[in-house]
């Protein structure tokens, strides 16, 4: 098949050397939030991320690779799996790859995947679950780091509350180091979060700089919902009021607060302290 006849999602192999190719334009367009919203697609760059996604059964639309790696064993294997799942395999020239990729030194493999979100109404927390709710998080690096940490400690999922950064932006996806493919994500409006909170059977703990309780002194009864404020405004009064308890991580230096991702990590290690072991 040539680049003049791309057929989407049909498991074709397409060779592309022109920047004007519609697939190239479509993938480049996914850098814009409005296009990601409309198409519900997103881009993951790099062999490791693409392999993680395919192994975790994420639906792949395009697998793009530089012609120079076409014969590498892992690329061949991933391409074969992606084709069976209906993806187009797009083999591109270096100039095209440089245009599609967002990095200075473009990764030789790029995947375009369908976004996956769990509706708030489908969250059914079990006793051992630990979810993290993030209000108005703005920084994609923080979000990616939190998703990676949630994955690392074996927590259950991340709930994005209100107007937040897009978890499927290239920066957020990159910062997850592949954990985005293993951590269920939910988007919830303030009203949807209130409904979820009302039926939450365990501890709902908020983190707040004005709290008087040390986070190490609180009792965390499962399932635990850890609620974190945004980088700029912190936890809003309505969300703080919705929490059963508010805790603070003590600080001794001159910083006003901890970085959001660091504070989330500290909380998760405390909530899961009895379950995390170096030797399994
Ligand atoms: N200016 C914001 C404020 O006044 O809340 C700072 C927000 S802080 C950068 C982002 C979030 O991280 C906070 O809303 C809180 O959830 C958490 N956080 C940061 N440092 C904390 C601490 N020492 N104790 C508890 N939570 C903290």
């Amino acid at each position: 098949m040539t680049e003049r006849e791309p057929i989407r999602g049909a498991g074709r192999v397409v060779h592309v050397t022109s920047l004007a190719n519609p697939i190239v334009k479509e993938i480049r367009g996914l850098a814009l939030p409005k296009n990601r919203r409309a198409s519900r697609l997103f881009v993951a760059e790099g062999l490791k991320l693409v392999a993680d996604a395919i192994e975790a059964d994420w639906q792949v639309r395009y697998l793009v690779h530089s012609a120079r790696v076409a014969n590498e064993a892992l690329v061949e294997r991933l391409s074969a799996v992606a084709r069976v799942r209906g993806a187009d395999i797009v083999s591109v020239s270096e100039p095209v790859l440089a245009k599609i990729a967002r990095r200075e030194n473009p990764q030789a493999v790029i995947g375009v995947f369908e976004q996956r979100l769990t509706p708030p109404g489908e969250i059914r927390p079990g006793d051992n679950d630990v979810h993290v709710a993030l209000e108005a998080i703005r920084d994609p690096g923080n979000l990616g780091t939190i998703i990676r940490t949630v994955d690392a400690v074996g927590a259950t999922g991340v709930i994005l509350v209100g107007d937040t950064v897009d978890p499927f932006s290239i920066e957020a996806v990159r910062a997850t180091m592949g954990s985005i493919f293993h951590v269920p994500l939910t988007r919830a409006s303030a009203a949807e979060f209130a409904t979820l909170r009302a039926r939450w059977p365990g501890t709902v703990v908020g983190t707040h700089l004005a709290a008087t309780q040390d986070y190490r002194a609180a009792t965390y009864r499962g399932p635990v919902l850890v609620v974190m404020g945004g980088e700029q405004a912190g936890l809003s009064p309505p969300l703080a009021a919705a929490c059963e308890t508010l805790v603070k991580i003590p600080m001794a230096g001159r910083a006003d607060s901890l970085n959001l991702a660091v504070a989330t990590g500290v909380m998760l290690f405390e909530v899961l302290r009895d379950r995390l072991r170096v030797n399994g």
Side-chain angles (χ1 to χ4, degrees):
M1 186 175 175
T2 74
E3 66 188 274
R4 282 177 296 284
E5 41 185 338
I7 297 176
R8 177 183 303 184
R12 310 297 170 115
V13 177
V14 190
H15 297 280
V16 175
T17 55
S18 163
L19 296 175
N21 182 284
I23 296 178
V24 174
K25 286 189 175 164
E26 183 183 352
I27 298 175
R28 292 191 68 201
L30 293 174
L32 297 177
K34 68 170 185 180
N35 292 338
R36 289 196 300 273
R37 260 197 309 277
S39 66
R40 296 177 183 268
L41 297 175
F42 70 105
V43 174
E45 286 186 7
L47 189 55
K48 180 197 177 296
L49 280 188
V50 172
D52 280 354
I54 289 177
E55 272 159 30
D57 271 345
W58 280 58
Q59 190 56 46
V60 51
R61 181 73 60 88
Y62 299 117
L63 191 146
V64 181
H65 63 73
S66 151
R68 80 183 132 88
V69 298
N71 296 324
E72 288 185 11
L74 182 53
V75 176
E76 278 186 342
R77 190 164 64 76
L78 293 174
S79 299
V81 175
R83 264 189 97 177
V84 169
R85 294 188 194 162
D88 286 334
I89 311 305
V90 188
S91 174
V92 297
S93 61
E94 294 302 314
V96 171
L97 186 69
K99 275 288 177 202
I100 293 178
R102 297 283 306 281
R103 287 195 159 176
E104 290 280 304
N105 294 320
Q107 301 277 334
V109 178
I110 292 170
V112 175
F113 296 92
E114 292 180 10
Q115 299 177 17
R116 206 183 271 178
L117 288 167
T118 305
E122 286 183 14
I123 296 179
R124 309 252 178 278
D127 285 354
N128 287 326
D129 287 348
V130 177
H131 288 257
V132 175
L134 302 167
E135 184 183 28
I137 179 169
R138 292 276 185 273
D139 184 305
N142 275 346
L143 178 54
T145 303
I146 291 170
I147 292 170
R148 181 179 174 186
T149 308
V150 164
D151 184 19
V153 300
T156 318
V158 171
I159 302 161
L160 300 165
V161 185
D163 187 16
T164 69
V165 68
D166 180 1
F168 297 107
S169 73
I170 192 88
E171 296 82 5
V173 171
R174 190 182 293 153
T176 72
M177 299 290 286
S179 291
I180 192 158
F181 301 114
H182 305 296
V183 174
L185 300 176
T186 296
R187 271 191 182 286
S189 64
E192 287 169 329
F193 182 76
T195 305
L196 181 63
R197 191 270 169 265
R199 64 175 176 82
W200 198 268
T203 299
V204 180
V205 56
T207 53
H208 205 293
L209 296 172
T212 51
Q213 176 161 221
D214 187 310
Y215 76 110
R216 294 164 296 190
T219 302
Y220 301 106
R221 189 172 39 84
V224 180
L225 179 55
V226 179
V227 188
M228 307 297 300
E231 294 94 341
Q232 278 126 42
L235 210 52
S236 68
L239 241 72
C243 295
E244 170 188 324
T245 178
L246 292 176
V247 298
K248 180 169 181 175
I249 304 164
M251 298 181 291
R254 292 167 61 182
D256 291 337
S257 63
L258 294 166
N259 162 277
L260 169 59
V262 170
T264 308
V266 170
M267 284 300 297
L268 285 172
F269 277 93
E270 180 60 22
V271 171
L272 290 161
R273 133 194 304 269
D274 295 334
R275 278 190 251 163
L276 293 169
R277 296 269 178 281
V278 170
N279 297 314

PDB file of all heavy atoms in Angstrom, residues 206-211 215 227-235 247-251 256-261 263-264 267, ligand 1:
ATOM      1  N   GLY A 206      -8.291  14.336  53.414  1.00  0.00           N
ATOM      2  CA  GLY A 206      -7.766  15.440  52.616  1.00  0.00           C
ATOM      3  C   GLY A 206      -6.433  15.892  53.180  1.00  0.00           C
ATOM      4  O   GLY A 206      -6.158  15.724  54.372  1.00  0.00           O
ATOM      5  N   THR A 207      -5.602  16.444  52.315  1.00  0.00           N
ATOM      6  CA  THR A 207      -4.308  16.967  52.773  1.00  0.00           C
ATOM      7  C   THR A 207      -4.377  18.484  52.672  1.00  0.00           C
ATOM      8  O   THR A 207      -4.758  19.035  51.627  1.00  0.00           O
ATOM      9  CB  THR A 207      -3.169  16.432  51.908  1.00  0.00           C
ATOM     10  OG1 THR A 207      -3.476  16.707  50.544  1.00  0.00           O
ATOM     11  CG2 THR A 207      -2.993  14.939  52.091  1.00  0.00           C
ATOM     12  N   HIS A 208      -4.002  19.149  53.771  1.00  0.00           N
ATOM     13  CA  HIS A 208      -4.223  20.593  53.829  1.00  0.00           C
ATOM     14  C   HIS A 208      -3.136  21.236  54.677  1.00  0.00           C
ATOM     15  O   HIS A 208      -2.792  20.722  55.752  1.00  0.00           O
ATOM     16  CB  HIS A 208      -5.604  20.849  54.433  1.00  0.00           C
ATOM     17  CG  HIS A 208      -6.178  22.158  54.030  1.00  0.00           C
ATOM     18  ND1 HIS A 208      -5.631  23.365  54.425  1.00  0.00           N
ATOM     19  CD2 HIS A 208      -7.266  22.465  53.273  1.00  0.00           C
ATOM     20  CE1 HIS A 208      -6.349  24.355  53.924  1.00  0.00           C
ATOM     21  NE2 HIS A 208      -7.342  23.824  53.210  1.00  0.00           N
ATOM     22  N   LEU A 209      -2.649  22.374  54.205  1.00  0.00           N
ATOM     23  CA  LEU A 209      -1.575  23.046  54.946  1.00  0.00           C
ATOM     24  C   LEU A 209      -2.082  23.599  56.277  1.00  0.00           C
ATOM     25  O   LEU A 209      -1.294  23.800  57.211  1.00  0.00           O
ATOM     26  CB  LEU A 209      -0.970  24.172  54.100  1.00  0.00           C
ATOM     27  CG  LEU A 209      -0.266  23.685  52.822  1.00  0.00           C
ATOM     28  CD1 LEU A 209       0.145  24.859  51.948  1.00  0.00           C
ATOM     29  CD2 LEU A 209       0.940  22.819  53.173  1.00  0.00           C
ATOM     30  N   ALA A 210      -3.398  23.832  56.369  1.00  0.00           N
ATOM     31  CA  ALA A 210      -3.949  24.376  57.614  1.00  0.00           C
ATOM     32  C   ALA A 210      -4.416  23.283  58.569  1.00  0.00           C
ATOM     33  O   ALA A 210      -4.934  23.572  59.649  1.00  0.00           O
ATOM     34  CB  ALA A 210      -5.114  25.306  57.286  1.00  0.00           C
ATOM     35  N   ALA A 211      -4.240  22.026  58.189  1.00  0.00           N
ATOM     36  CA  ALA A 211      -4.698  20.931  59.061  1.00  0.00           C
ATOM     37  C   ALA A 211      -3.836  20.892  60.326  1.00  0.00           C
ATOM     38  O   ALA A 211      -2.669  21.286  60.309  1.00  0.00           O
ATOM     39  CB  ALA A 211      -4.610  19.602  58.313  1.00  0.00           C
ATOM     40  N   TYR A 215      -0.177  13.583  59.549  1.00  0.00           N
ATOM     41  CA  TYR A 215      -0.646  12.493  58.678  1.00  0.00           C
ATOM     42  C   TYR A 215      -0.283  11.112  59.235  1.00  0.00           C
ATOM     43  O   TYR A 215      -0.907  10.116  58.892  1.00  0.00           O
ATOM     44  CB  TYR A 215      -0.071  12.673  57.255  1.00  0.00           C
ATOM     45  CG  TYR A 215       1.384  12.285  57.102  1.00  0.00           C
ATOM     46  CD1 TYR A 215       1.754  11.159  56.388  1.00  0.00           C
ATOM     47  CD2 TYR A 215       2.390  13.035  57.689  1.00  0.00           C
ATOM     48  CE1 TYR A 215       3.069  10.801  56.249  1.00  0.00           C
ATOM     49  CE2 TYR A 215       3.723  12.674  57.563  1.00  0.00           C
ATOM     50  CZ  TYR A 215       4.053  11.559  56.845  1.00  0.00           C
ATOM     51  OH  TYR A 215       5.370  11.198  56.728  1.00  0.00           O
ATOM     52  N   VAL A 227      -7.303  12.784  49.174  1.00  0.00           N
ATOM     53  CA  VAL A 227      -7.700  13.939  48.355  1.00  0.00           C
ATOM     54  C   VAL A 227      -6.613  15.003  48.418  1.00  0.00           C
ATOM     55  O   VAL A 227      -6.265  15.488  49.502  1.00  0.00           O
ATOM     56  CB  VAL A 227      -9.052  14.517  48.842  1.00  0.00           C
ATOM     57  CG1 VAL A 227      -9.542  15.579  47.867  1.00  0.00           C
ATOM     58  CG2 VAL A 227     -10.092  13.412  48.989  1.00  0.00           C
ATOM     59  N   MET A 228      -6.086  15.346  47.244  1.00  0.00           N
ATOM     60  CA  MET A 228      -4.978  16.304  47.164  1.00  0.00           C
ATOM     61  C   MET A 228      -5.448  17.590  46.481  1.00  0.00           C
ATOM     62  O   MET A 228      -6.221  17.553  45.514  1.00  0.00           O
ATOM     63  CB  MET A 228      -3.821  15.709  46.339  1.00  0.00           C
ATOM     64  CG  MET A 228      -3.318  14.342  46.779  1.00  0.00           C
ATOM     65  SD  MET A 228      -2.607  14.279  48.432  1.00  0.00           S
ATOM     66  CE  MET A 228      -1.253  15.440  48.328  1.00  0.00           C
ATOM     67  N   GLY A 229      -4.939  18.727  46.953  1.00  0.00           N
ATOM     68  CA  GLY A 229      -5.293  20.015  46.353  1.00  0.00           C
ATOM     69  C   GLY A 229      -4.410  20.330  45.153  1.00  0.00           C
ATOM     70  O   GLY A 229      -3.389  19.682  44.924  1.00  0.00           O
ATOM     71  N   GLY A 230      -4.818  21.344  44.407  1.00  0.00           N
ATOM     72  CA  GLY A 230      -4.048  21.737  43.221  1.00  0.00           C
ATOM     73  C   GLY A 230      -2.791  22.509  43.586  1.00  0.00           C
ATOM     74  O   GLY A 230      -2.655  23.001  44.707  1.00  0.00           O
ATOM     75  N   GLU A 231      -1.886  22.628  42.614  1.00  0.00           N
ATOM     76  CA  GLU A 231      -0.601  23.288  42.866  1.00  0.00           C
ATOM     77  C   GLU A 231      -0.777  24.741  43.291  1.00  0.00           C
ATOM     78  O   GLU A 231      -0.023  25.236  44.135  1.00  0.00           O
ATOM     79  CB  GLU A 231       0.286  23.269  41.613  1.00  0.00           C
ATOM     80  CG  GLU A 231       0.758  21.904  41.172  1.00  0.00           C
ATOM     81  CD  GLU A 231      -0.167  21.304  40.111  1.00  0.00           C
ATOM     82  OE1 GLU A 231      -1.330  21.757  39.992  1.00  0.00           O
ATOM     83  OE2 GLU A 231       0.275  20.372  39.416  1.00  0.00           O
ATOM     84  N   GLN A 232      -1.761  25.413  42.665  1.00  0.00           N
ATOM     85  CA  GLN A 232      -1.867  26.844  42.955  1.00  0.00           C
ATOM     86  C   GLN A 232      -2.716  27.128  44.188  1.00  0.00           C
ATOM     87  O   GLN A 232      -2.258  27.755  45.131  1.00  0.00           O
ATOM     88  CB  GLN A 232      -2.458  27.574  41.746  1.00  0.00           C
ATOM     89  CG  GLN A 232      -1.423  27.873  40.679  1.00  0.00           C
ATOM     90  CD  GLN A 232      -1.844  27.332  39.325  1.00  0.00           C
ATOM     91  OE1 GLN A 232      -2.999  27.444  38.935  1.00  0.00           O
ATOM     92  NE2 GLN A 232      -0.908  26.748  38.611  1.00  0.00           N
ATOM     93  N   ALA A 233      -3.954  26.679  44.164  1.00  0.00           N
ATOM     94  CA  ALA A 233      -4.901  27.092  45.208  1.00  0.00           C
ATOM     95  C   ALA A 233      -5.013  26.102  46.354  1.00  0.00           C
ATOM     96  O   ALA A 233      -5.674  26.384  47.351  1.00  0.00           O
ATOM     97  CB  ALA A 233      -6.273  27.317  44.578  1.00  0.00           C
ATOM     98  N   GLY A 234      -4.392  24.943  46.242  1.00  0.00           N
ATOM     99  CA  GLY A 234      -4.575  23.928  47.278  1.00  0.00           C
ATOM    100  C   GLY A 234      -5.985  23.359  47.225  1.00  0.00           C
ATOM    101  O   GLY A 234      -6.693  23.488  46.219  1.00  0.00           O
ATOM    102  N   LEU A 235      -6.386  22.734  48.325  1.00  0.00           N
ATOM    103  CA  LEU A 235      -7.703  22.102  48.377  1.00  0.00           C
ATOM    104  C   LEU A 235      -8.780  23.191  48.518  1.00  0.00           C
ATOM    105  O   LEU A 235      -8.683  24.052  49.385  1.00  0.00           O
ATOM    106  CB  LEU A 235      -7.735  21.166  49.593  1.00  0.00           C
ATOM    107  CG  LEU A 235      -8.602  19.929  49.556  1.00  0.00           C
ATOM    108  CD1 LEU A 235      -8.350  19.095  48.318  1.00  0.00           C
ATOM    109  CD2 LEU A 235      -8.340  19.104  50.810  1.00  0.00           C
ATOM    110  N   VAL A 247      -5.335  16.172  57.058  1.00  0.00           N
ATOM    111  CA  VAL A 247      -4.028  15.935  57.682  1.00  0.00           C
ATOM    112  C   VAL A 247      -2.972  16.826  57.038  1.00  0.00           C
ATOM    113  O   VAL A 247      -3.129  17.316  55.918  1.00  0.00           O
ATOM    114  CB  VAL A 247      -3.591  14.455  57.552  1.00  0.00           C
ATOM    115  CG1 VAL A 247      -4.560  13.529  58.265  1.00  0.00           C
ATOM    116  CG2 VAL A 247      -3.411  14.058  56.090  1.00  0.00           C
ATOM    117  N   LYS A 248      -1.868  16.976  57.801  1.00  0.00           N
ATOM    118  CA  LYS A 248      -0.747  17.758  57.294  1.00  0.00           C
ATOM    119  C   LYS A 248       0.529  16.933  57.419  1.00  0.00           C
ATOM    120  O   LYS A 248       0.693  16.158  58.367  1.00  0.00           O
ATOM    121  CB  LYS A 248      -0.622  19.053  58.105  1.00  0.00           C
ATOM    122  CG  LYS A 248       0.531  19.920  57.637  1.00  0.00           C
ATOM    123  CD  LYS A 248       0.496  21.298  58.255  1.00  0.00           C
ATOM    124  CE  LYS A 248       1.673  22.108  57.704  1.00  0.00           C
ATOM    125  NZ  LYS A 248       1.650  23.498  58.156  1.00  0.00           N
ATOM    126  N   ILE A 249       1.413  17.120  56.457  1.00  0.00           N
ATOM    127  CA  ILE A 249       2.748  16.508  56.520  1.00  0.00           C
ATOM    128  C   ILE A 249       3.650  17.588  57.135  1.00  0.00           C
ATOM    129  O   ILE A 249       3.765  18.677  56.580  1.00  0.00           O
ATOM    130  CB  ILE A 249       3.246  16.131  55.113  1.00  0.00           C
ATOM    131  CG1 ILE A 249       2.239  15.202  54.421  1.00  0.00           C
ATOM    132  CG2 ILE A 249       4.627  15.510  55.180  1.00  0.00           C
ATOM    133  CD1 ILE A 249       2.434  15.083  52.901  1.00  0.00           C
ATOM    134  N   PRO A 250       4.231  17.308  58.289  1.00  0.00           N
ATOM    135  CA  PRO A 250       5.006  18.354  58.959  1.00  0.00           C
ATOM    136  C   PRO A 250       6.180  18.830  58.109  1.00  0.00           C
ATOM    137  O   PRO A 250       6.785  18.046  57.374  1.00  0.00           O
ATOM    138  CB  PRO A 250       5.524  17.671  60.228  1.00  0.00           C
ATOM    139  CG  PRO A 250       4.864  16.364  60.305  1.00  0.00           C
ATOM    140  CD  PRO A 250       4.246  16.028  59.001  1.00  0.00           C
ATOM    141  N   MET A 251       6.483  20.100  58.226  1.00  0.00           N
ATOM    142  CA  MET A 251       7.626  20.672  57.497  1.00  0.00           C
ATOM    143  C   MET A 251       8.453  21.482  58.499  1.00  0.00           C
ATOM    144  O   MET A 251       7.900  22.095  59.411  1.00  0.00           O
ATOM    145  CB  MET A 251       7.141  21.575  56.364  1.00  0.00           C
ATOM    146  CG  MET A 251       6.325  20.840  55.318  1.00  0.00           C
ATOM    147  SD  MET A 251       5.788  21.917  53.966  1.00  0.00           S
ATOM    148  CE  MET A 251       4.611  22.947  54.807  1.00  0.00           C
ATOM    149  N   ASP A 256       7.024  26.860  51.794  1.00  0.00           N
ATOM    150  CA  ASP A 256       5.619  27.002  52.198  1.00  0.00           C
ATOM    151  C   ASP A 256       4.882  25.680  52.163  1.00  0.00           C
ATOM    152  O   ASP A 256       3.954  25.447  52.921  1.00  0.00           O
ATOM    153  CB  ASP A 256       4.874  27.927  51.204  1.00  0.00           C
ATOM    154  CG  ASP A 256       5.360  29.344  51.314  1.00  0.00           C
ATOM    155  OD1 ASP A 256       5.897  29.685  52.381  1.00  0.00           O
ATOM    156  OD2 ASP A 256       5.208  30.098  50.335  1.00  0.00           O
ATOM    157  N   SER A 257       5.261  24.849  51.195  1.00  0.00           N
ATOM    158  CA  SER A 257       4.530  23.594  50.995  1.00  0.00           C
ATOM    159  C   SER A 257       5.440  22.620  50.267  1.00  0.00           C
ATOM    160  O   SER A 257       6.485  22.998  49.754  1.00  0.00           O
ATOM    161  CB  SER A 257       3.276  23.839  50.144  1.00  0.00           C
ATOM    162  OG  SER A 257       3.654  24.290  48.852  1.00  0.00           O
ATOM    163  N   LEU A 258       4.983  21.369  50.227  1.00  0.00           N
ATOM    164  CA  LEU A 258       5.679  20.362  49.428  1.00  0.00           C
ATOM    165  C   LEU A 258       5.135  20.406  48.009  1.00  0.00           C
ATOM    166  O   LEU A 258       3.996  20.820  47.777  1.00  0.00           O
ATOM    167  CB  LEU A 258       5.419  18.970  50.003  1.00  0.00           C
ATOM    168  CG  LEU A 258       6.000  18.701  51.387  1.00  0.00           C
ATOM    169  CD1 LEU A 258       5.399  17.437  51.967  1.00  0.00           C
ATOM    170  CD2 LEU A 258       7.511  18.575  51.288  1.00  0.00           C
ATOM    171  N   ASN A 259       5.937  19.940  47.085  1.00  0.00           N
ATOM    172  CA  ASN A 259       5.441  19.733  45.722  1.00  0.00           C
ATOM    173  C   ASN A 259       4.287  18.718  45.787  1.00  0.00           C
ATOM    174  O   ASN A 259       4.326  17.775  46.591  1.00  0.00           O
ATOM    175  CB  ASN A 259       6.604  19.207  44.856  1.00  0.00           C
ATOM    176  CG  ASN A 259       6.116  18.566  43.588  1.00  0.00           C
ATOM    177  OD1 ASN A 259       5.741  17.398  43.579  1.00  0.00           O
ATOM    178  ND2 ASN A 259       6.093  19.325  42.517  1.00  0.00           N
ATOM    179  N   LEU A 260       3.273  18.924  44.959  1.00  0.00           N
ATOM    180  CA  LEU A 260       2.074  18.073  44.993  1.00  0.00           C
ATOM    181  C   LEU A 260       2.406  16.585  44.803  1.00  0.00           C
ATOM    182  O   LEU A 260       1.870  15.727  45.522  1.00  0.00           O
ATOM    183  CB  LEU A 260       1.098  18.545  43.904  1.00  0.00           C
ATOM    184  CG  LEU A 260      -0.087  17.650  43.606  1.00  0.00           C
ATOM    185  CD1 LEU A 260      -0.947  17.419  44.841  1.00  0.00           C
ATOM    186  CD2 LEU A 260      -0.926  18.270  42.488  1.00  0.00           C
ATOM    187  N   ALA A 261       3.271  16.283  43.865  1.00  0.00           N
ATOM    188  CA  ALA A 261       3.580  14.866  43.608  1.00  0.00           C
ATOM    189  C   ALA A 261       4.349  14.270  44.795  1.00  0.00           C
ATOM    190  O   ALA A 261       4.132  13.109  45.173  1.00  0.00           O
ATOM    191  CB  ALA A 261       4.389  14.714  42.315  1.00  0.00           C
ATOM    192  N   ALA A 263       4.081  15.300  47.964  1.00  0.00           N
ATOM    193  CA  ALA A 263       3.114  15.145  49.062  1.00  0.00           C
ATOM    194  C   ALA A 263       2.241  13.907  48.836  1.00  0.00           C
ATOM    195  O   ALA A 263       1.956  13.154  49.776  1.00  0.00           O
ATOM    196  CB  ALA A 263       2.248  16.402  49.181  1.00  0.00           C
ATOM    197  N   THR A 264       1.853  13.677  47.581  1.00  0.00           N
ATOM    198  CA  THR A 264       1.023  12.494  47.273  1.00  0.00           C
ATOM    199  C   THR A 264       1.811  11.215  47.576  1.00  0.00           C
ATOM    200  O   THR A 264       1.280  10.260  48.150  1.00  0.00           O
ATOM    201  CB  THR A 264       0.576  12.508  45.794  1.00  0.00           C
ATOM    202  OG1 THR A 264      -0.021  13.764  45.493  1.00  0.00           O
ATOM    203  CG2 THR A 264      -0.409  11.393  45.505  1.00  0.00           C
ATOM    204  N   MET A 267       2.001  10.590  51.318  1.00  0.00           N
ATOM    205  CA  MET A 267       0.714  10.078  51.813  1.00  0.00           C
ATOM    206  C   MET A 267       0.517   8.605  51.446  1.00  0.00           C
ATOM    207  O   MET A 267       0.091   7.803  52.273  1.00  0.00           O
ATOM    208  CB  MET A 267      -0.443  10.898  51.223  1.00  0.00           C
ATOM    209  CG  MET A 267      -0.637  12.250  51.845  1.00  0.00           C
ATOM    210  SD  MET A 267      -0.974  12.192  53.615  1.00  0.00           S
ATOM    211  CE  MET A 267      -2.538  11.306  53.666  1.00  0.00           C
TER     212      MET A 267
HETATM  213  N1  LIG B   1      -0.664  27.380  47.809  1.00  0.00           N
HETATM  214  C1  LIG B   1      -1.237  26.097  48.022  1.00  0.00           C
HETATM  215  C2  LIG B   1      -1.976  26.041  49.344  1.00  0.00           C
HETATM  216  O1  LIG B   1      -2.013  27.034  50.024  1.00  0.00           O
HETATM  217  O2  LIG B   1      -2.562  24.996  49.664  1.00  0.00           O
HETATM  218  C3  LIG B   1      -0.139  25.074  47.966  1.00  0.00           C
HETATM  219  C4  LIG B   1      -0.617  23.840  47.360  1.00  0.00           C
HETATM  220  S1  LIG B   1       0.534  22.512  47.438  1.00  0.00           S
HETATM  221  C5  LIG B   1       1.756  22.966  46.305  1.00  0.00           C
HETATM  222  C6  LIG B   1      -0.391  21.306  46.584  1.00  0.00           C
HETATM  223  C7  LIG B   1      -1.063  20.287  47.449  1.00  0.00           C
HETATM  224  O3  LIG B   1      -0.085  19.396  47.974  1.00  0.00           O
HETATM  225  C8  LIG B   1      -1.811  20.812  48.642  1.00  0.00           C
HETATM  226  O4  LIG B   1      -3.095  21.262  48.315  1.00  0.00           O
HETATM  227  C9  LIG B   1      -1.872  19.565  49.509  1.00  0.00           C
HETATM  228  O5  LIG B   1      -2.843  18.685  49.023  1.00  0.00           O
HETATM  229  C10 LIG B   1      -0.502  18.965  49.260  1.00  0.00           C
HETATM  230  N2  LIG B   1       0.504  19.400  50.221  1.00  0.00           N
HETATM  231  C11 LIG B   1       1.658  20.035  49.953  1.00  0.00           C
HETATM  232  N3  LIG B   1       2.364  20.185  51.087  1.00  0.00           N
HETATM  233  C12 LIG B   1       1.647  19.637  52.085  1.00  0.00           C
HETATM  234  C13 LIG B   1       1.860  19.446  53.485  1.00  0.00           C
HETATM  235  N4  LIG B   1       2.954  19.864  54.092  1.00  0.00           N
HETATM  236  N5  LIG B   1       0.898  18.807  54.183  1.00  0.00           N
HETATM  237  C14 LIG B   1      -0.225  18.361  53.589  1.00  0.00           C
HETATM  238  N6  LIG B   1      -0.465  18.499  52.274  1.00  0.00           N
HETATM  239  C15 LIG B   1       0.454  19.127  51.532  1.00  0.00           C
END
